Amino acid sequence: MRAIVLSGAGGVEVLAEEERPTPEPGPAQIRVRVRASALNRADILQRRGGYAPPPGAPLDIPGLEYAGEVHALGPGSTLWKPGDRVMGIVAGGGHAEFLVVHEREAIRVPDRLSWEEAGSVPEVFLTAYDALFRQLHAQAGETLLIHAVGSGVGTAAIQLARVAGLTTYGTSRTPGKLRRALDLGLDVALDASDGWAGLLLQQTGGGGVSAVLDLVGGAYLADNLRVLSPRGRVIVVGTVAGGKAELDLGLLLRKRLHLIGTVLRSRPLEEKIALAREFSDRALPLLEAARIRPVIDRVLPFSAIRQAHQVMESNDTFGKVALVWSNDE
Amino acid sequence: MRAIVLSGAGGVEVLAEEERPTPEPGPAQIRVRVRASALNRADILQRRGGYAPPPGAPLDIPGLEYAGEVHALGPGSTLWKPGDRVMGIVAGGGHAEFLVVHEREAIRVPDRLSWEEAGSVPEVFLTAYDALFRQLHAQAGETLLIHAVGSGVGTAAIQLARVAGLTTYGTSRTPGKLRRALDLGLDVALDASDGWAGLLLQQTGGGGVSAVLDLVGGAYLADNLRVLSPRGRVIVVGTVAGGKAELDLGLLLRKRLHLIGTVLRSRPLEEKIALAREFSDRALPLLEAARIRPVIDRVLPFSAIRQAHQVMESNDTFGKVALVWSNDE
């Protein structure tokens, strides 16, 4: 099979397409013929050598999500039949023509979604769904601040929060991304270049927000605590602005705040299955009804993987960079 | 009535006993004739000027807990009758001969407890109960690290955790306090002078603990994160070692940790009532059966309030410094 392979850690020159053995599905697994995937910030980190795959994941084939057809069933696998359209997250190996997963990790692809749309769903919608509903326990009537609102997770979170009856505030340094986020249902756009914390407190009459979805980290932490209302919660999903921050413990106590760290990739199988099943029950109907939809900045063939990485690193994207296998490559 | 009054912010010289008007119970309130109270770290902070009482609390009468007899009923108050023995927390005013509280904030005093024992229960047992069971959701089989294990909250937490089937690790800088904590049911004592984090990881085969009850703050935060197992939780109840700390956000994410700040004093009435009622249902039977008991370092009359503050500031106490009103003062 064709696969994107990392020859080492570094710039985009370490990425290349190579032939690799097609994986065999084990007990309760399925083999998926991947039609589309997408790029994630973690793929960039992994390429640079800063995010090793967890045990069990392919060491040198990146890629954290997929959409494709069930191609073969492992022993005892009963949930799918060959040809079924499925999608999901993997701890690595998503940027290959074939991959194997436990059958219960796979999620049905709604008929209305194209391959590139389906391949752009799993990481950002599972991350946002898990963060908002399983960890922040966000509920109708609450207010939510979303950082990096033009990112894949940001665009997913705006839509899920809107469906759930939350009022959303979103930050970005790029006015164009803020405009597109408003089109997507964001309630209040905050220019991160202008000191978003002050703007937010102004917009909320000093009351702040009840929850924060933070994909930025670093110095944003102090302002997150500042804009949270009493008993507020912040979940940190990414730390692109830095992995260390000074924490005001006194403020954490006085406001009785909750600070939560999360990651999907290293979770054990049983947790990934639980999330995939719950997402299938609750979020698939929203995708089918087009109440939520993947936001795709552009679609590139896997043969342009280096360009795809460069595009993501430019930070000029709004939503996902999708990747597709084309037959004539 | 007699009351301990703060004439300003400073050393123990700002504390004095004065005459104040006896408060009148409002609707659904009771007036309590206070027989005993105890000293808390927050009383020291308030005396020094660093912890103003929340709105509605007496401005210059400190004291956060009480035990005494119901003395008068406000309009519509039906839960108690005069002479009933009650105890509870207040946002201030506990160091006076009389105080008023909402009738549903008061907790029945078990027959077996003396006044000084009852007056030493509310702050530390409500704090520990709330932290362990309502916020950390600690469950049988889990491992819990308790800092400042010789403090009032520490001695309460050891006992509650033991009853609930947790394995406890406790830190203190004082060997004598660690010995007494072991007598109280602590499973593993860690000398905080010796680098408790390394000792703890050694004791747990590198696995760490599932939860931390932190009364220290400051530099302990980094080590708390280090010793927590994946999905671990830390609740910070006090920051005597400092209110600022560097936080390793990357570690918070990778381990998927929860960091919780909490305080009782400023909570709204309905939350205090909910806690008092739940504590009455679940923890009073444990007090009645002597499965948990207040640990009292010494009992002093309110006339020795300055000495009481000095004793607590010495950090030489194990458990509570109780205060009682004597009739011959």
Side-chain angles (χ1 to χ4, degrees), chain A residues 182-213:
Chain A
L182 289 168
D183 291 341
L184 209 54
L186 179 70
D187 291 301
V188 181
L190 304 165
D191 192 327
S193 317
D194 286 348
W196 56 266
L199 291 173
L200 176 58
L201 288 171
Q202 204 174 349
Q203 290 275 352
T204 57
V209 292
S210 42
V212 179
L213 176 64

Side-chain angles (χ1 to χ4, degrees), chain B residues 233-255:
Chain B
R233 302 91 74 196
V234 52
I235 187 162
V236 186
V237 177
T239 59
V240 289
K244 308 271 183 185
E246 190 182 76
L247 176 67
D248 185 340
L249 278 170
L251 189 58
L252 190 86
L253 263 68
R254 283 195 302 281
K255 287 193 177 180

Side-chain angles (χ1 to χ4, degrees), chain B:
Chain B
M1 67 171 185
R2 293 173 287 176
I4 302 303
V5 170
L6 291 163
S7 62
V12 296
E13 73 282 353
V14 302
L15 294 160
E17 192 180 309
E18 288 184 16
E19 282 294 316
R20 287 297 163 104
T22 302
E24 290 302 320
Q29 288 189 323
I30 54 174
R31 180 165 64 213
V32 178
R33 179 189 187 97
V34 177
R35 296 298 185 173
S37 179
L39 211 55
N40 289 282
R41 188 69 52 182
D43 296 314
I44 308 290
L45 294 178
Q46 184 175 347
R47 192 204 72 212
R48 293 177 183 164
Y51 194 24
L59 276 174
D60 59 351
I61 307 178
L64 300 174
E65 58 194 325
Y66 68 90
E69 292 135 339
V70 175
H71 185 257
L73 308 181
S77 188
T78 59
L79 199 58
W80 310 97
K81 61 181 190 307
D84 283 347
R85 284 160 42 99
V86 293
M87 60 185 180
I89 57 171
V90 283
H95 294 170
E97 253 182 320
F98 294 94
L99 54 78
V100 294
V101 292
H102 191 285
E103 59 171 355
R104 293 184 65 76
E105 285 182 276
I107 297 164
R108 185 172 57 78
V109 172
D111 293 340
R112 69 180 306 140
L113 294 190
S114 67
W115 284 126
E116 54 259 39
E117 287 173 329
S120 299
V121 162
E123 266 293 336
V124 298
F125 276 96
L126 285 167
T127 296
Y129 178 90
D130 180 77
L132 292 188
F133 304 124
R134 289 162 60 98
Q135 303 209 61
L136 290 174
H137 305 289
Q139 297 197 311
E142 288 199 298
T143 47
L144 173 72
L145 171 63
I146 304 165
H147 290 308
V149 81
S151 66
V153 176
T155 59
I158 292 170
Q159 299 177 72
L160 285 170
R162 183 183 169 86
V163 165
L166 295 147
T167 300
T168 51
Y169 298 79
T171 68
S172 170
R173 293 187 179 278
T174 313
K177 291 186 188 180
L178 288 171
R179 278 194 298 276
R180 294 180 70 178
L182 290 167
D183 292 342
L184 208 55
L186 180 70
D187 291 304
V188 181
L190 304 166
D191 192 328
S193 317
D194 286 348
W196 55 264
L199 291 172
L200 175 58
L201 288 171
Q202 202 174 352
Q203 289 275 352
T204 56
V209 292
S210 42
V212 179
L213 176 63
D214 188 4
L215 294 87
V216 176
Y220 274 38
L221 180 69
D223 278 334
N224 287 339
L225 265 54
R226 189 175 148 218
V227 303
L228 277 172
S229 51
R231 305 188 75 183
R233 302 91 74 196
V234 52
I235 187 162
V236 186
V237 177
T239 59
V240 289
K244 308 271 183 185
E246 190 182 76
L247 176 67
D248 185 340
L249 278 170
L251 189 58
L252 190 86
L253 263 68
R254 283 195 302 281
K255 287 193 177 180
R256 304 163 60 195
L257 304 178
H258 282 226
L259 175 55
I260 304 166
T262 191
V263 66
L264 287 186
R265 192 182 193 185
S266 57
R267 294 190 191 178
L269 176 64
E270 64 276 14
E271 285 192 56
K272 288 183 174 171
I273 288 175
L275 175 58
R277 297 333 319 147
E278 185 178 317
F279 186 88
S280 296
D281 288 343
R282 304 204 186 159
L284 270 196
L286 300 172
L287 279 166
E288 282 170 335
R291 297 186 65 192
I292 59 176
R293 63 180 176 81
V295 176
I296 297 177
D297 185 85
R298 74 194 70 187
V299 183
L300 292 170
F302 272 106
S303 57
I305 186 70
R306 292 179 177 182
Q307 183 193 342
H309 274 240
Q310 284 164 335
V311 164
M312 180 159 231
E313 285 179 292
S314 75
N315 284 325
D316 281 341
T317 51
F318 184 81
K320 300 287 288 186
V321 177
L323 293 160
V324 292
W325 288 112
S326 50
N327 290 328
D328 56 346
E329 278 183 75

